[in-house]
């Protein structure tokens, strides 16, 4: 298959070693999703409303736009369920690296929150296998969500024939954010179709010496792996990138795996040296303030810009991460805990999560696009409209750093390996660790 050629679903599943029944495991490249623009009729079934009580929602949304988006969805819930007291159980740390550890302790101790944030796709498998989630297929149908979400996403939600979570959005992981004034002053056009074009720009910025060429974080323990997945996509291409997550070390023995680590090491040579002290939001803030020229981060960074009152394409710009314009997707979703203390309140929450009103309140602040096909587009800005268009027109590949293509067990080792590499730059040790971790993507 040649570079740029789109995969058929059958080809993708074959590479992943998945049966059609296990299609939900998500670690596959697929053709673009149906454009989420056409209004679709949804007639949710009337559900009994909780008259009071508590609802505990567990997430890792504490920064700028993500916290604003969550609060916007809480307001929709409160309007519909005025007697319910929301317990906002957030644990700071991008990609849930800290929150997941806390959640596992609670689940192991038999103290689940009513509903928790989980990435749709292979990450959900971790909780399904552990018997920690209730199936939601019947609820999904009752609410009519199956009629208003693209088939691509519905396929990713199914594990063992059941839907387990309600998605609230679609994020794009492979985005390079830049400061327009900084690049203009350096005479750099903000288009990086290849890694070589990125290296040329970074070298120019480094020679000028007045800003950090590219800001990279590490405090949230996922920033290096996040950057690396875009480097992997650029190095392997769409059709081979997806094979990295098949639960074997086959592709990690390919010479391009070592090449990708070399590319990441080269990128770090243009980055700030205090990576472990900065979170992703700190790195993006440096770009917004003109202290750094660019950073590679998911479009929740756009939510951060929105929360600061800044405007995309004016105060900051964006372009696909270098080397590929494929859409690397992930989806935040919420599930219903098995043994949830407040199941009626949790279902009322999930009803809001999947509703048009809830998603149109949440996503314009979060910096993500709706999972539904019938959003009110007047609520979405230029970047989000462009993301909606790209989601429906570009090849789709799963994010590894954010659970679309990887299990929790794998993500923990993936994040740790790349954060260590960000510090010691030991390519052999990192590659050996990635080979060893590959089998954990089956757990």
């Amino acid at each position: 298959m040649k570079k740029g050629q789109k995969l058929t679903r059958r080809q993708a599943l074959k590479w992943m070693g998945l049966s059609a029944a296990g299609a939900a495991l998500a670690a596959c490249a697929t053709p673009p999703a149906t454009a989420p623009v056409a209004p679709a009729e949804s007639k949710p079934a009337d559900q009994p409303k909780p008259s009071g009580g508590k609802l505990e929602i567990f997430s890792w949304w504490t920064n700028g736009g993500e916290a604003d988006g969550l609060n916007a969805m809480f307001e929709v819930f409160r309007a519909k369920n005025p007697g319910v007291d929301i317990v906002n159980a957030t644990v700071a740390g991008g990609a849930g690296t800290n929150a997941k550890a806390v959640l596992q302790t609670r689940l192991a101790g038999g103290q689940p929150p009513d509903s928790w944030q989980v990435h749709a796709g292979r990450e959900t498998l971790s909780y399904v296998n552990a018997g920690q989630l209730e199936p939601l297929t019947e609820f999904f149908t009752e609410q009519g969500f199956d009629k208003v979400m693209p088939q691509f996403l519905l396929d990713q939600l199914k594990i063992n024939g059941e839907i387990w979570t309600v998605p609230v959005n679609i994020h794009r992981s492979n985005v390079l954010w830049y400061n327009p004034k900084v690049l203009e002053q350096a005479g750099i056009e903000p288009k990086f179709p290849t890694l070589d074009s990125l290296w040329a720009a970074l070298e120019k910025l480094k020679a000028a010496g007045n800003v950090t060429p590219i800001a990279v974080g590490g405090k949230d323990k996922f920033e290096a792996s996040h950057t690396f997945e875009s480097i992997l996509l650029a190095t392997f291409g769409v059709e081979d990138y997806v094979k990295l997550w098949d639960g074997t070390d086959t592709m990690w023995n390919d010479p391009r795996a070592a090449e990708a680590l070399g590319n990441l090491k080269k990128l770090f040579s243009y980055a700030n040296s205090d990576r472990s002290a900065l979170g992703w939001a700190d790195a993006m803030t440096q770009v917004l303030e003109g202290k750094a020229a660019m950073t590679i981060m998911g479009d929740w960074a756009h939510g951060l810009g929105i929360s600061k009152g800044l405007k995309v394409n004016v105060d900051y710009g964006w372009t696909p991460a270098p080397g590929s314009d494929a859409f690397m997707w992930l989806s935040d979703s919420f599930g219903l805990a098995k043994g949830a203390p407040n199941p009626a309140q949790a279902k009322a929450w999930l009803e809001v999560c999947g509703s048009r009103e809830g998603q149109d309140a949440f996503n314009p602040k979060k910096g993500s696009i709706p999972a539904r096909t019938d959003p009110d587009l007047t609520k979405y800005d230029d970047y989000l409209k462009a993301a909606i268009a790209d989601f429906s027109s570009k090849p789709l590949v799963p994010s590894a750093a954010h659970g679309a293509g990887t299990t929790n067990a794998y993500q923990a080792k993936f994040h740790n390996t790349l954060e260590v590499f960000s510090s010691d730059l030991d390519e052999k040790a990192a590659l050996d660790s990635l080979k060893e971790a590959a089998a954990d993507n089956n757990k």
Side-chain angles (χ1 to χ4, degrees), residues 263-313:
N263 285 331
L264 183 61
K265 184 176 182 177
K266 186 170 184 176
L267 183 148
F268 285 156
S269 72
Y270 297 103
N272 47 298
S273 60
D274 60 345
R275 294 186 287 276
S276 63
L278 298 183
W280 70 265
D282 301 317
M284 181 62 179
T285 297
Q286 289 194 358
V287 174
L288 298 176
E289 293 177 348
K291 298 175 182 176
M294 60 182 80
T295 189
I296 293 175
M297 187 46 58
D299 49 16
W300 45 93
H302 175 43
L304 180 66
I306 294 170
S307 73
K308 292 179 178 292
L310 302 177
K311 191 170 182 179
V312 68
N313 298 332

Side-chain angles (χ1 to χ4, degrees), residues 305-353:
I306 294 170
S307 73
K308 292 179 178 292
L310 302 177
K311 191 170 182 179
V312 68
N313 298 332
V314 176
D315 301 303
Y316 58 100
W318 71 279
T319 188
S324 175
D325 67 349
F327 192 110
M328 187 181 290
W329 74 274
L330 62 124
S331 174
D332 295 304
S333 65
F334 283 87
L336 173 62
K338 182 166 284 187
N342 305 288
Q345 289 81 354
K347 282 197 171 183
W349 166 249
L350 296 175
E351 187 178 328
V352 171
C353 289

Side-chain angles (χ1 to χ4, degrees), residues 361-379:
F362 173 75
N363 287 297
K365 294 181 182 295
K366 180 67 161 59
S368 48
I369 64 175
R372 295 177 61 106
T373 57
D374 59 348
D376 179 355
L377 289 177
T378 64
K379 297 180 182 296

